[in-house]
């Protein structure tokens, strides 16, 4: 049985705003789930309903099979890490870590042991006597994480815990949090608007938009099999390229190239005759030049960005802008006309009206 079950969960705020619509999810014990989506899509609201900080307007929330809608945060045995570190400024790192256990009346010996163990996991041992103001942002965030994991809880909730850190600290903390998760074994729900965090940390990703779940899947599933243009465009960096064209005689025309859609869609292409479809491909799915078993397209190079291990090439493709990823040795000249190929399996065709993948 799933450890956490969200069945048709809805949130309607007192002002009438419907922030979350029919959210469904089953999380297994020990799973690392990431909610990802743009600002305002309902990630934090859903997390707060799981934490017991926000009422559930409609739907069932179960913990280990028991209806928990009306349980308080304590009964749910959750620990939460927020964006702001919320440390006690007048307490040392040791006291910040020990605070929750002190409140619970846990024995001093046990507190000492758990503080030392937590500090060790987080690399904070030598900072236990310091005050928070004498720590870097990354160290403070570690203390905040430590305060949550020191209590042995079943559910670990994190709301954008890395957003106040610089790029380098984020990369370090990303792997640390994943490691801590493995060690504690708590079911973790992690909120972020950063698709890279979602892809690198999650067992499964929940992609949200405007209060609706778009797709739930492993990082590979949402990357390779996005259900619609939103997921396809949100997951992956730079985002997937989209070119909208009308289907005529089973083909679309991009510049001088006629692309036979039956190669991708088979007989289903006839359903789209005379209609607009969106031709999608990822920047990293292309190969320069004209290849076999691939759609070939041409464009004019408008800009190139050398990134070190690879380069982005901005191309005007028959009036549409596309980004191609190439190796540093392949960077074409500015203003040159280039042909590139996309293998059939690297192409996604979307219904232009519903925006769903065909
Ligand atoms: P962010 O990444 O910016 O934190 P989010 O995806 O976490 O965004 P939520 O904070 O869950 O989004 O907010 C979802 C929607 O609900 C937003 O449009 C927000 O304005 C609205 N909202 C949040 N709190 C309330 C409230 N107390 N009353 C009314 N509307 C609210």
């Amino acid at each position: 049985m799933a450890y956490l079950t969200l069945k048709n969960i809805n949130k309607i705020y007192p002002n009438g705003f419907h922030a979350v619509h029919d959210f469904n999810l089953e999380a297994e014990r020990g799973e690392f789930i990431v909610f990802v989506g743009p600002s305002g899509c309902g990630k934090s609201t859903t997390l707060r309903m799981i934490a017991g900080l926000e009422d559930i307007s409609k739907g069932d929330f179960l913990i280990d099979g028991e209806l928990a809608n009306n349980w308080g945060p304590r009964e749910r045995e959750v620990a939460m890490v927020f964006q702001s570190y919320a440390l006690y400024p007048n307490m040392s790192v040791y006291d910040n870590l020990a605070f929750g256990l002190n409140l619970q009346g846990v024995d001093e010996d046990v507190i000492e042991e758990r503080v030392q163990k937590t500090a060790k996991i987080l690399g904070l041992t030598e900072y236990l006597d310091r005050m928070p103001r004498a720590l870097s942002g990354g160290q403070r965030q570690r203390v905040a994480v430590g305060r949550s994991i020191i209590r042995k809880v079943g559910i670990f909730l994190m709301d954008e815990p890395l957003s106040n850190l610089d790029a380098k600290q984020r990369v370090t903390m990303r792997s640390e949090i994943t490691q801590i998760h493995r060690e504690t074994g708590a079911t973790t729900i992690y909120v972020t608007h950063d698709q890279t965090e979602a892809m690198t940390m999650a067992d499964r990703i929940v992609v949200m938009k405007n209060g609706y779940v778009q797709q739930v899947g492993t990082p590979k599933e949402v990357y390779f099999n996005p259900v619609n243009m939103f997921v396809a465009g949100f997951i992956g960096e730079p985002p997937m390229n989209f070119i909208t064209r009308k289907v005529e005689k089973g083909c679309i025309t991009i510049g001088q190239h006629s692309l036979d859609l039956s190669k991708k869609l088979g007989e289903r292409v006839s359903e789209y005759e005379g209609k607009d479809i969106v031709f999608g491909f990822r920047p990293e799915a292309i190969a320069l030049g004209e290849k076999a078993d691939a759609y070939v397209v041409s464009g004019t190079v408008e800009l190139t960005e050398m990134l070190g291990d690879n380069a982005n090439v901005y191309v005007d493709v028959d009036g549409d802008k596309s980004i191609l990823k190439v190796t540093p040795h392949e960077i074409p000249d500015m203003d040159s006309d280039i042909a590139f190929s996309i293998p059939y399996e690297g192409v996604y065709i979307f219904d232009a009206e519903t925006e769903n993948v065909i």
Side-chain angles (χ1 to χ4, degrees):
M1 185 201 299
Y3 185 51
L4 296 182
T5 306
L6 286 85
K7 255 193 231 164
N8 296 323
I9 295 284
N10 282 264
K11 178 66 189 182
I12 302 161
Y13 278 110
N15 68 357
F17 184 73
H18 201 152
V20 177
H21 299 256
D22 286 330
F23 191 108
N24 285 293
L25 178 72
E26 293 205 338
E28 299 302 327
R29 210 178 268 277
E31 225 184 338
F32 197 117
I33 306 263
V34 177
F35 294 172
V36 71
S39 184
C41 70
K43 307 178 294 288
S44 299
T45 301
T46 309
L47 195 75
R48 292 170 60 80
M49 287 192 282
I50 295 171
L53 300 172
E54 201 72 70
D55 287 340
I56 294 168
S57 311
K58 220 164 54 181
D60 291 339
F61 172 56
L62 290 84
I63 299 179
D64 220 0
E66 284 191 64
L67 190 64
N69 284 40
N70 298 322
W71 294 7
R74 261 180 200 285
E75 277 173 283
R76 296 181 190 206
E77 299 200 334
V78 297
M80 190 147 170
V81 182
F82 296 96
Q83 201 173 95
S84 54
Y85 318 126
L87 302 180
Y88 298 104
N90 307 325
M91 290 186 195
S92 66
V93 169
Y94 185 101
D95 290 336
N96 264 285
L97 289 174
F99 187 78
L101 300 178
N102 272 324
L103 274 190
Q104 287 173 19
V106 176
D107 278 352
E108 278 301 325
D109 304 356
V110 179
I111 293 180
E112 167 80 25
E113 188 199 319
R114 287 221 219 144
V115 168
Q116 293 295 349
K117 186 163 173 230
T118 305
K120 194 163 171 220
I121 293 174
L122 290 161
L124 290 168
T125 307
E126 58 185 297
Y127 304 105
L128 285 172
D129 294 332
R130 287 219 195 155
M131 300 305 255
R133 66 175 170 276
L135 298 175
S136 73
Q139 290 162 341
R140 280 182 221 171
Q141 188 56 298
R142 251 174 242 165
V143 181
V145 171
R147 284 214 320 205
S148 317
I149 63 168
I150 201 162
R151 291 169 45 214
K152 292 189 176 141
V153 295
I155 310 166
F156 202 20
L157 305 175
M158 302 201 221
D159 196 350
E160 307 240 8
L162 309 186
S163 57
N164 289 334
L165 304 181
D166 67 36
K168 212 165 165 186
Q169 287 174 327
R170 274 152 85 136
V171 175
T172 316
M173 276 304 277
R174 227 158 60 192
S175 56
E176 284 187 14
I177 288 178
T178 318
Q179 199 129 13
I180 292 164
H181 167 254
R182 274 200 212 113
E183 283 175 29
T184 58
T187 306
T188 301
I189 305 203
Y190 184 105
V191 162
T192 180
H193 60 268
D194 179 347
Q195 65 91 31
T196 314
E197 270 174 35
M199 290 296 278
T200 52
M201 299 173 86
D203 290 322
R204 281 191 302 153
I205 298 177
V206 179
V207 186
M208 296 181 73
K209 177 192 171 195
N210 294 340
Y212 289 90
V213 172
Q214 304 290 301
Q215 187 165 5
V216 181
T218 63
K220 273 193 182 159
E221 280 164 358
V222 295
Y223 178 84
F224 286 112
N225 299 309
V227 296
N228 59 28
M229 285 176 67
F230 178 79
V231 176
F234 194 82
I235 301 289
E237 178 57 36
M240 186 181 282
N241 297 299
F242 297 122
I243 297 176
T244 306
R245 290 290 183 276
K246 190 192 286 282
V247 181
E248 285 168 320
K249 298 198 184 111
C251 297
I252 55 167
T253 305
I254 301 179
Q256 76 265 36
H257 303 278
S258 176
L259 312 188
D260 176 359
L261 290 188
S262 68
K263 297 242 162 66
K264 180 76 194 173
L265 297 177
E267 289 181 2
R268 282 181 306 155
V269 69
S270 59
E271 294 165 34
Y272 291 88
E273 190 59 35
K275 293 187 187 155
D276 279 346
I277 59 92
V278 179
F279 182 85
F281 60 97
R282 296 201 181 275
E284 56 275 27
I286 65 106
L288 293 178
E290 302 195 11
K291 311 281 183 210
D293 296 324
Y295 288 117
V296 176
V297 182
S298 304
T300 308
V301 176
E302 295 192 320
L303 182 75
T304 62
E305 281 175 349
M306 166 65 183
L307 299 169
D309 55 345
N310 59 55
N312 292 333
V313 181
Y314 294 73
V315 182
D316 181 295
V317 178
D318 188 27
D320 286 285
K321 306 293 175 196
S322 288
I323 304 179
L324 316 179
K325 222 174 224 319
V326 300
T327 69
H329 307 289
E330 293 177 321
I331 301 174
D333 292 335
M334 290 285 288
D335 301 322
S336 61
D337 292 321
I338 58 167
F340 59 94
S341 306
I342 315 139
Y344 299 131
E345 66 270 17
V347 168
Y348 299 83
I349 311 283
F350 302 92
D351 183 321
E353 205 176 302
T354 63
E355 301 195 348
N356 290 331
V357 76
I358 299 173

